[in-house]
Amino acid sequence: MDKIRIIADAMGGDNAPDAIVEGALSARDASDIALTLCGDAEAIRAAARKCGRSLEGVEIIDTPVSVEMDDDPMCVIKSKRDSSMALGLKALKEGRGDAFVSAGSTGALTVGGTFIVKRMKGIRRAGIGALLPTDTKPVLLMDSGANNVCIPQDLVTFATLGSVYMNKIMGVERPAVGIANIGVEPHKGTDLQVEAYKLLQQSGLHFIGNAEVRDIPFGVCDVVVCDGFTGNIFLKTYEGTAKMMSANIKRILKKNPVTLIGALFVKGGFEALGRKLDAKSYGGAPLLGLNAPVIKAHGSADAQTFANTIAQARRMAEQRVVETIRESIQTTGGASDEGNP
């Protein structure tokens, strides 16, 4: 059987290229994938030497240009068409790889994925899926930031994309889908939520109704759908609350000698909780609805996080997530992509 071919943007992210190259090579060694690195060849070689790993068998697409976090997202198809991100996406489109991973700009990756790799037929808007830890299980948030404005059919599309992903990658037999809302009643929310509720009832998906946002951290559903603006606010509030709680717990445990002694007795429990709530252990956020797998790693990804994202990309290719989505869209129906790139 041929190896899964992963293309990685070596220059994207806060810790590029060192952590990106180390993580990619670590994943290559652990899972025997074929690896292509896009970026400054000399910087990639220096990063490989620094972490003591071999570049033997690795293809390098050499370019000194990279997309910066504060660049206009459109630069990936305009002024920086020769960047590591753009060339990597182009290589994916040309069939030189099975999946693409970048820790670079989310906006640029969304634009590049849409205009270079392109959306599959029947998809009006691709969506970013973010896996969130909950009290019982991970939940996929769709969309978590790609589309600020959506129509009701988009939420049905996101539900379909998310259901396939949770089934194929997370092993959920029949993912439960909920709409992020301010209440569980069918009439709650704006026209977007009310109309999406009606469409999802007829979709054939395992739709459980509205998911009040306060219930999402307790695992009320497997996939929660919303417009990208709402999703991104929810995602960042979720992350910020987790950091705030963690900081307060640490301060309490370090308050005095007595609390420090008590901390020793609960250390194992807190470490287990930390692992449970660490979203980075799942990898990155897939941009679902494109013609090939594209995954956004966290901008601050370290080597281990990026290796996890590479492994996630490999699983998406092996499990034929894109092909399954294409079949599912034909069943549930997609929003018209007429007039879109």
Side-chain angles (χ1 to χ4, degrees):
M1 182 179 177
D2 293 337
K3 294 180 179 180
I4 297 296
R5 302 164 299 163
I6 305 296
I7 304 169
D9 174 10
M11 311 310 290
D14 300 337
N15 301 315
D18 290 354
I20 303 304
V21 171
E22 181 181 355
L25 293 175
S26 176
R28 183 274 313 266
D29 293 343
S31 57
D32 194 30
I33 58 173
L35 181 64
T36 297
L37 295 175
C38 304
D40 187 301
E42 282 305 312
I44 290 172
R45 294 188 186 102
R49 288 193 297 270
K50 189 173 181 179
C51 68
R53 292 187 179 272
S54 171
L55 284 168
E56 183 178 357
V58 176
E59 178 186 0
I60 296 177
I61 298 177
D62 185 21
T63 175
V65 182
S66 60
V67 174
E68 306 301 326
M69 290 296 187
D70 57 353
D71 280 339
D72 183 336
M74 295 298 290
C75 75
V76 74
I77 59 169
K78 292 185 176 180
S79 60
K80 291 191 173 182
R81 288 179 293 179
D82 56 346
S83 64
S84 55
M85 182 185 289
L87 293 182
L89 289 168
K90 182 180 178 183
L92 179 67
K93 178 189 177 182
E94 293 171 349
R96 294 160 56 191
D98 298 304
F100 177 76
V101 179
S102 175
S105 163
T106 301
L109 188 63
T110 301
V111 170
T114 300
F115 284 85
I116 299 173
V117 181
K118 298 186 182 299
R119 291 169 287 103
M120 64 179 66
K121 186 177 181 180
I123 300 290
R124 196 185 84 94
R125 291 284 189 267
I128 297 176
L131 272 173
L132 305 177
T134 74
D135 188 48
T136 57
K137 59 187 177 182
V139 59
L140 187 72
L141 177 66
M142 285 286 299
D143 174 30
S144 63
N147 306 281
N148 286 344
V149 179
C150 292
I151 62 174
Q153 184 60 55
D154 291 333
L155 269 59
V156 179
T157 298
F158 297 157
T160 303
L161 300 176
S163 293
V164 171
Y165 185 86
M166 291 302 284
N167 174 254
K168 290 290 186 179
I169 302 302
M170 302 304 295
V172 180
E173 184 65 29
R174 192 163 178 252
V177 177
I179 301 173
N181 211 326
I182 58 174
V184 298
E185 298 85 356
H187 65 273
K188 286 293 179 72
T190 68
D191 289 345
L192 173 66
Q193 290 79 29
V194 172
E195 294 304 314
Y197 191 107
K198 298 174 184 177
L199 293 175
L200 280 165
Q201 282 183 310
Q202 304 165 11
S203 67
L205 298 169
H206 183 196
F207 177 55
I208 63 165
N210 288 323
E212 195 159 1
V213 289
R214 68 183 178 190
D215 296 328
I216 294 172
F218 297 96
V220 68
C221 57
D222 301 296
V223 179
V224 58
V225 296
C226 56
D227 62 90
F229 184 79
T230 300
N232 199 255
I233 288 176
F234 180 76
L235 174 63
K236 289 177 179 176
T237 301
Y238 208 87
E239 292 175 338
T241 300
K243 290 179 181 178
M244 181 271 293
M245 292 297 295
S246 176
N248 274 274
I249 290 171
K250 288 179 180 178
R251 280 197 292 268
I252 291 170
L253 294 176
K254 294 179 179 179
K255 188 174 182 180
N256 55 54
V258 175
T259 58
L260 283 171
I261 293 172
L264 294 176
F265 290 97
V266 295
K267 181 180 178 182
F270 278 118
E271 289 177 346
L273 178 63
R275 290 191 295 271
K276 178 181 179 180
L277 299 180
D278 183 11
K280 292 182 180 180
S281 64
Y282 302 125
L287 183 56
L288 299 173
L290 302 179
N291 284 314
V294 173
I295 301 180
K296 169 66 172 72
H298 202 287
S300 62
D302 57 17
Q304 184 57 59
T305 301
F306 200 78
N308 292 342
T309 309
I310 293 283
Q312 177 187 14
R314 174 181 57 80
R315 291 195 301 274
M316 283 189 69
E318 288 176 340
Q319 294 297 318
R320 299 176 62 81
V321 170
V322 169
E323 291 78 4
T324 305
I325 286 173
R326 188 173 284 116
E327 295 168 2
S328 298
I329 287 296
Q330 293 175 358
T331 301
T332 60
S336 172
D337 54 1
E338 188 175 332
N340 286 296

